[in-house]
Amino acid sequence: MSAEIFTKVKQMLEEVQNAAPTTKEQIEQFRIQYLGSKNVLKPLFGEIRNVENERKKEFGQLVNSVKIAAETKFQTLKDQIESAADDAAAQEMDLTAPGTPMPLGARHPISITMNRIIEIFSRIGFTVAEEREIEDDWYNFTAMNTPENHPARDMQDTYYLKDSTQMLLRTHTSSVQARTMMAQQPPIRIIAPGRVYRNETVSARSHCQFHQVEGLYVAENVSFADMKQVLLYFAKEMYGEKSKIRLRPSFFPFTEPSAEMDVSCFICDAKGCKVCKHTGWVEILGCGMVDPQVLENCGIDSKRYTGYAFGMGIERQAMLLYKVDDIRLFFENDVRFLEQFKAAL
Ligand code: DAH
């Protein structure tokens, strides 16, 4: 009896060693047969009681070696079939096929315009100063020579923070002038780009949020002529070499004298068109000599130092440059509009 069962197990070991299942199904069949929950080895372990005592150990080891052989073979076959599947998939892959296109974004026209302005002023020594959008009343209005109840405040109504008459959303980047002057002594030569807010009805020409770039130069002996030269340089760089500028007297509380600057219309070559309302000129910024009171408010000796300042709306410049006739388009995030600026990167 014992010899018979030994022979049976040895045969089984040989079967396992010689087995050569190839398909997935055959391999699964092999697994069920030798390693499944009702595998053929299980009853053999039960047979151990029929083996004479001195050969029990040998028998146990023999049956175990069948089990190990089956496990090893199954693992090898499984690995083979999996890597073959990977190879097949790799062969099916067409490396010459065109890739899935990735949609490319574009820089926002306001960013493009802002960067262009920054670049123009950086070249002549202006550094960028950035400040907060939630501002203290003092920096936005009082320091800029617009004390409480001053009628000029009406021109720039804004949003106040809840429960505060002091904190507001800045109405202009001129507040950065005050912040910079409070923090450092002349010479000061900065441009301050950023977002500003006004309590205004949104229309094609005005919005409750927009962007400005402010400029400030304070040093000894700074004159109106210096300002005019720098602004002419800016107009030529921004709107073309042929550009001319003209300054019209105006009023701003923080500058004295104040002016508004027009640039010759680059759309019609100053011949007259819809954009320049047939005048040949388009208004692009406000400017002037910093009012001595503003210098004093910010701790700067107005007898020793003078300065000029200017401020412009970035949307306004972008509308002119790209011939956009509705300011709301900049804030709607309609990709059909924004995609058109890809080339302008
Ligand atoms: N802050 C002005 C505005 O928002 C623009 C401006 C005008 C800024 C003249 C200046 C300036 O620095 O000198 O309307």
Side-chain angles (χ1 to χ4, degrees):
M1 169 65 195
S2 176
E4 225 172 81
I5 190 99
F6 267 89
T7 318
K8 194 172 162 195
V9 180
K10 278 182 189 151
Q11 265 174 8
M12 204 176 274
L13 181 60
E14 247 174 71
E15 269 168 34
V16 168
Q17 282 163 345
N18 295 335
T22 46
T23 63
K24 235 177 160 179
E25 291 73 30
Q26 286 168 348
I27 295 171
E28 180 59 6
Q29 202 48 52
F30 176 87
R31 186 192 66 79
I32 295 169
Q33 190 177 356
Y34 294 103
L35 305 166
S37 58
K38 290 183 187 150
N39 67 59
V40 292
L41 299 175
K42 272 194 181 163
L44 291 177
F45 282 110
E47 295 275 355
I48 203 155
R49 63 193 139 86
N50 300 327
V51 177
E52 51 270 43
N53 279 346
E54 56 276 20
R55 296 198 72 188
K56 273 194 183 7
K57 188 176 169 201
E58 189 193 338
F59 182 76
Q61 283 171 343
L62 188 61
V63 177
N64 219 22
S65 68
V66 181
K67 190 179 166 211
I68 291 169
E71 276 170 358
T72 317
K73 173 143 274 174
F74 173 69
Q75 196 53 48
T76 317
L77 290 166
K78 204 175 131 207
D79 290 350
Q80 274 170 4
I81 205 152
E82 276 170 7
S83 75
D86 285 351
D87 286 353
Q91 270 174 11
E92 266 171 34
M93 193 188 300
D94 178 0
L95 295 178
T96 63
T100 319
M102 292 239 289
L104 245 200
R107 206 158 267 166
H108 195 281
I110 296 303
S111 301
I112 300 173
T113 311
M114 177 144 68
N115 290 345
R116 189 160 156 184
I117 299 170
I118 292 172
E119 208 241 316
I120 292 172
F121 283 105
S122 301
R123 267 188 260 143
I124 52 168
F126 283 79
T127 52
V128 173
E130 281 184 304
E131 269 300 341
R132 60 213 75 187
E133 292 172 22
I134 299 174
E135 192 47 281
D136 193 301
D137 176 289
W138 191 84
Y139 289 96
N140 193 79
F141 290 126
T142 310
M144 299 315 290
N145 224 6
T146 320
E148 222 175 310
N149 303 322
H150 191 289
R153 282 201 180 198
D154 277 357
M155 283 156 40
Q156 299 190 5
D157 188 18
T158 187
Y159 303 96
Y160 287 82
L161 264 64
K162 210 171 166 205
D163 305 327
S164 174
T165 51
Q166 281 309 303
M167 299 306 285
L168 47 84
L169 297 186
R170 67 179 179 189
T171 57
H172 53 182
T173 42
S174 303
S175 55
V176 186
Q177 287 189 27
R179 289 238 170 235
T180 310
M181 290 191 282
M182 292 295 285
Q184 74 185 77
Q185 283 295 308
I188 294 170
R189 190 171 8 209
I190 54 143
I191 44 164
R195 192 175 295 142
V196 300
Y197 303 84
R198 298 222 183 143
N199 184 7
E200 272 179 30
T201 315
V202 176
S203 72
R205 302 200 63 80
S206 67
H207 207 284
C208 55
Q209 57 166 356
F210 56 101
H211 299 76
Q212 288 187 333
V213 176
E214 187 82 12
L216 174 70
Y217 180 37
V218 184
E220 284 180 14
N221 301 320
V222 177
S223 72
F224 197 89
D226 295 333
M227 179 184 82
K228 200 174 164 192
Q229 194 56 34
V230 160
L231 293 178
L232 176 64
Y233 155 79
F234 167 71
K236 284 178 182 289
E237 293 296 306
M238 189 78 180
Y239 294 110
E241 186 49 37
K242 284 194 291 186
S243 299
K244 293 191 180 69
I245 59 165
R246 76 172 182 189
L247 294 168
R248 284 179 289 107
S250 184
F251 169 78
F252 296 103
F254 30 87
T255 43
E256 181 59 38
S258 303
E260 246 151 324
M261 186 177 104
D262 299 337
V263 64
S264 50
C265 184
F266 50 90
I267 290 168
C268 63
D269 253 342
K271 287 188 186 73
C273 67
K274 217 174 113 195
V275 174
C276 64
K277 300 194 192 91
H278 300 281
T279 62
W281 296 97
V282 279
E283 183 191 319
I284 58 165
L285 56 81
C287 58
M289 297 306 288
V290 181
D291 193 306
Q293 185 61 50
V294 173
L295 296 176
E296 294 295 333
N297 290 348
C298 301
I300 287 178
D301 182 355
S302 65
K303 295 205 175 55
R304 182 168 171 203
Y305 297 110
T306 50
Y308 63 75
F310 54 88
M312 67 186 100
I314 300 180
E315 280 75 4
R316 168 105 185 117
Q317 319 294 319
M319 285 169 89
L320 290 169
L321 274 181
Y322 299 122
K323 304 191 179 85
V324 174
D325 60 5
D326 193 324
I327 196 173
R328 290 170 291 198
L329 288 165
F330 292 124
F331 301 103
E332 281 169 356
N333 277 341
D334 185 334
V335 285
R336 290 168 302 178
F337 171 71
L338 296 174
E339 265 184 347
Q340 299 174 56
F341 299 92
K342 268 186 191 160
L345 279 180

